[in-house]
Amino acid sequence: MNLSSGRHYLAIPGPSVMPERVLQAMHRPAPNIYTGELVEMVAGMIPDLQAVARTRHKVAIYIANGHGVWEAALANVVNRGEKVLVLATGRFGHGWGEMARAMGIDVEVMDFGKRATFDLDAVEARLRADAAGEIRAVLAVQVDTSTSVRNDIAGLRKAMDASGHPALLMADCMASLGCDVFEMDAWGVDVMLAGCQKGLMTPPGMAFVFFNEKAAQARKRVEIVSSYWDWTQRADPAEFYQYFCGTAPTHHLYGLREALTMIVHEEGIENVWARHAVLARAIWAALEHWGQDGPIEMNIADPALRSHAVTAVRMGTPSGTDLRNWMSRNAGVTLGIGLGMADPKDPAWHGFFRIGHMGHVNSHMVLGVLGSIETGLRALDIPHGKGALDAATRVLAEAPI
Ligand SMILES: *Cc1c(COP(=O)(O)O)cnc(C)c1O
């Protein structure tokens, strides 16, 4: 007997659940890549990508994952030997900085730890101290998927403006685009990057760099950019192949087209944000109750600093791994590992898990995960407070519709 037979649910923070409609849109023969439907479809997707990013500026599309656009974004605005300031609040901030360093960029990291957001006063002071204007760009992750902190990108813009520093503001919205509120133009973000496999509900393999006029100007002073990474032609192609510097990712594009239709034209981006906010609050309500009697604790204590796309949880060794294993074997749910919280060789690594709640997620999926976690805690005899599911259903029932 096995209680996990049935539809499996991948509740990790990316890749996320793909809608059947997205999968079906991809199930077709190879299209013509020179003229016709595909060519028109891609031109029509640019306004929808802009709508999701809340920008009227440019977008370059890459056949890449998030790491690819980390490199693409930097390659267009920073010369080798120049300096960037990385604001790290978890594994992904550090990862972007490590990639910059490997590209020969001079990287300075301000590390705010794994349980906190940026100290904006400290950032402002650091920028003021850079009187010579050596820092070319500030690299900030909106939601660090490892810690599930949500950083205040609008506040960062204000701190940068207050310092009078001309550095570019570059935001990694891989985990948050299409989940947490993000306003590229209103918040004054110069460069934003994201992938297709999280909030955009499409299989991994495409990623985006959005950039404004200030960033386009910065591109002009970069001496060497490979024609593959160069965003100039991708964002303003004279020929179709220039969008992708070669063959288009044909089937991914059909999938993304469908996902953008769902997000922009059917549900609406603001409703998508609102849905993520309510589902996140239901998850937090359950976690709070479990934590009242036992080892479970959300990594980010302040709800105002928590992502609506992913929640990182601490629960002591080895309970995190035990619970994850129990869930996949007995409930048909895969939870995320505790990325970057401890060294994988350290026993402490087994004391974490993450719940992905990004993209194609609804109330019954969230209740399925929460009910399964509660079942696992019971089966494994892990102490936990009562009333968690009651609290989660209250949040959902009281949500304004
Ligand atoms: C997922 C993620 C990345 C990396 O994306 P890959 O597609 O795995 O390369 C980068 N930054 C953040 C915040 C992410 O969540």
Side-chain angles (χ1 to χ4, degrees), residues 13-14 64-68 70 92 141-146 172-176 193 195 197-198 204 358:
N65 59 16
H67 285 69
W70 272 350
F92 288 92
V141 178
Q142 188 188 17
V143 166
D144 199 300
T145 324
S146 62
D172 168 346
C173 296
M174 284 292 299
S176 46
L193 47 98
Q197 81 269 29
K198 297 188 183 181
M358 49 177 56

Side-chain angles (χ1 to χ4, degrees), residues 137-350:
V138 176
L139 276 50
V141 178
Q142 188 188 17
V143 166
D144 199 300
T145 324
S146 62
T147 60
S148 71
V149 70
R150 177 160 47 93
N151 295 308
D152 177 5
I153 302 294
L156 174 59
R157 172 83 271 166
K158 288 199 189 94
M160 290 176 68
D161 287 349
S163 76
H165 198 288
L168 293 173
L169 169 48
M170 302 176 72
D172 168 346
C173 296
M174 284 292 299
S176 46
L177 191 71
C179 307
D180 281 285
V181 175
F182 179 81
E183 301 273 3
M184 175 158 167
D185 293 355
W187 294 356
V189 174
D190 299 305
V191 178
M192 185 272 273
L193 47 98
C196 67
Q197 81 269 29
K198 297 188 183 181
L200 301 186
M201 315 185 295
T202 304
M206 263 194 307
F208 315 94
V209 179
F210 297 85
F211 59 96
N212 68 9
E213 188 51 36
K214 182 176 172 186
Q217 290 303 326
R219 163 69 192 83
K220 292 186 182 150
R221 39 168 303 289
V222 176
E223 285 149 24
I224 300 173
V225 185
S226 81
S227 51
Y228 191 78
W229 282 141
D230 195 344
W231 66 28
T232 315
Q233 284 193 347
R234 287 177 186 263
D236 265 316
E239 305 277 350
F240 182 70
Y241 78 91
Q242 291 173 335
Y243 274 115
F244 306 101
C245 194
T247 305
T250 50
H251 288 64
H252 273 81
L253 289 165
Y254 284 107
L256 183 66
R257 173 63 276 167
E258 192 67 18
L260 289 171
T261 297
M262 294 169 73
I263 293 168
V264 178
H265 299 290
E266 294 177 7
E267 189 172 359
I269 186 69
E270 286 167 14
N271 291 329
V272 171
W273 292 336
R275 169 169 53 84
H276 279 83
V278 172
L279 296 177
R281 282 197 288 113
I283 290 168
W284 305 339
L287 285 162
E288 246 159 53
H289 278 73
W290 287 324
Q292 279 165 12
D293 183 12
I296 287 186
E297 186 193 357
M298 277 178 276
N299 184 54
I300 300 297
D302 180 355
L305 298 180
R306 290 184 201 139
S307 161
H308 296 161
V310 51
T311 302
V313 183
R314 306 175 159 249
M315 64 183 299
T317 305
S319 300
T321 296
D322 288 350
L323 181 66
R324 282 192 302 101
N325 289 342
W326 188 93
M327 294 273 287
S328 63
R329 284 199 204 109
N330 302 290
V333 176
T334 300
L335 293 173
I337 59 168
L339 196 67
M341 292 305 225
D343 189 285
K345 290 183 211 91
D346 181 346
W349 188 85
H350 297 286

